[in-house]
Amino acid sequence: MNKKDNSILLLRTSNDFITENALRYCLQNSENVICLIQSSQFEAYKNKYPETNFIDSGAESFYDLSNEIMQKLSAEKYSMIVIPTTGVKAHNFGNIIEITRLLYHDKLVFYHSDNQIQVINKMSKIKSMLYKIYIKIIECSEQ
């Protein structure tokens, strides 16, 4: 796939060192890198990496993301979603995995602290579609 034709989503789920390594990896593989980042880090990263499209999470965690942010994230089809992690094994990333299940993507990877990439098995398209329908029903019932 051409570098111009794919979008990569990076979720800032780790410290700056690992996140910046993961961001450089993303920029090597795509000209369209989108990064969901915590509010306290938004301006610093935006100034340091102007070629990247940063989305402010509106909080310091990715729990309970607003509908507006989820709609922004859902507007793209990603060739890859990258999740930086400080450990060799990524623990306590349940909410992050749930977010990724709501987004269209070809590949999901953990970017580990040792710069190794671990591809995560993707759920079936039917199960993914059912999750998306379920979220839409919940969103409609809240309005």
Side-chain angles (χ1 to χ4, degrees), residues 16-136:
D16 288 334
F17 179 75
I18 297 166
T19 297
E20 290 185 26
N21 283 345
L23 182 55
R24 284 189 285 277
Y25 167 79
C26 293
L27 291 168
Q28 289 172 355
N29 289 285
S30 177
E31 291 181 8
N32 186 23
V33 176
I34 299 163
C35 180
L36 180 65
I37 192 162
Q38 296 82 357
S39 293
S40 64
Q41 301 295 315
F42 180 75
E43 287 298 325
Y45 273 80
K46 187 174 154 186
N47 291 333
K48 190 170 183 177
Y49 298 97
E51 68 279 16
T52 302
N53 178 14
F54 290 97
I55 298 174
D56 186 337
S57 71
E60 293 307 303
S61 71
F62 297 148
Y63 288 99
D64 298 321
L65 291 175
S66 71
N67 287 340
E68 178 185 345
I69 291 171
M70 285 306 297
Q71 286 174 350
K72 281 183 188 177
L73 294 174
S74 298
E76 289 278 340
K77 181 181 185 296
Y78 305 101
S79 60
M80 182 169 38
I81 297 177
V82 178
I83 303 171
T85 177
T86 53
V88 175
K89 294 182 179 178
H91 297 288
N92 301 322
F93 276 34
N95 69 311
I96 300 298
I97 299 302
E98 288 304 313
I99 291 168
T100 65
R101 287 183 176 160
L102 301 174
L103 305 175
Y104 294 102
H105 61 281
D106 296 328
K107 184 166 47 171
L108 175 64
V109 302
F110 282 134
Y111 188 96
H112 294 289
S113 56
D114 59 0
N115 296 321
Q116 296 297 309
I117 294 169
Q118 176 186 3
V119 177
I120 307 303
N121 291 333
K122 192 173 173 187
M123 78 167 65
S124 74
K125 289 184 180 190
I126 293 172
K127 193 172 182 181
S128 180
M129 183 180 67
L130 290 173
Y131 268 114
K132 290 172 188 169
I133 291 170
Y134 174 72
I135 294 300
K136 292 290 181 190

Side-chain angles (χ1 to χ4, degrees), residues 136-143:
K136 292 290 181 190
I137 291 170
I138 290 173
E139 288 173 354
C140 290
S141 68
E142 291 176 351
Q143 294 176 355

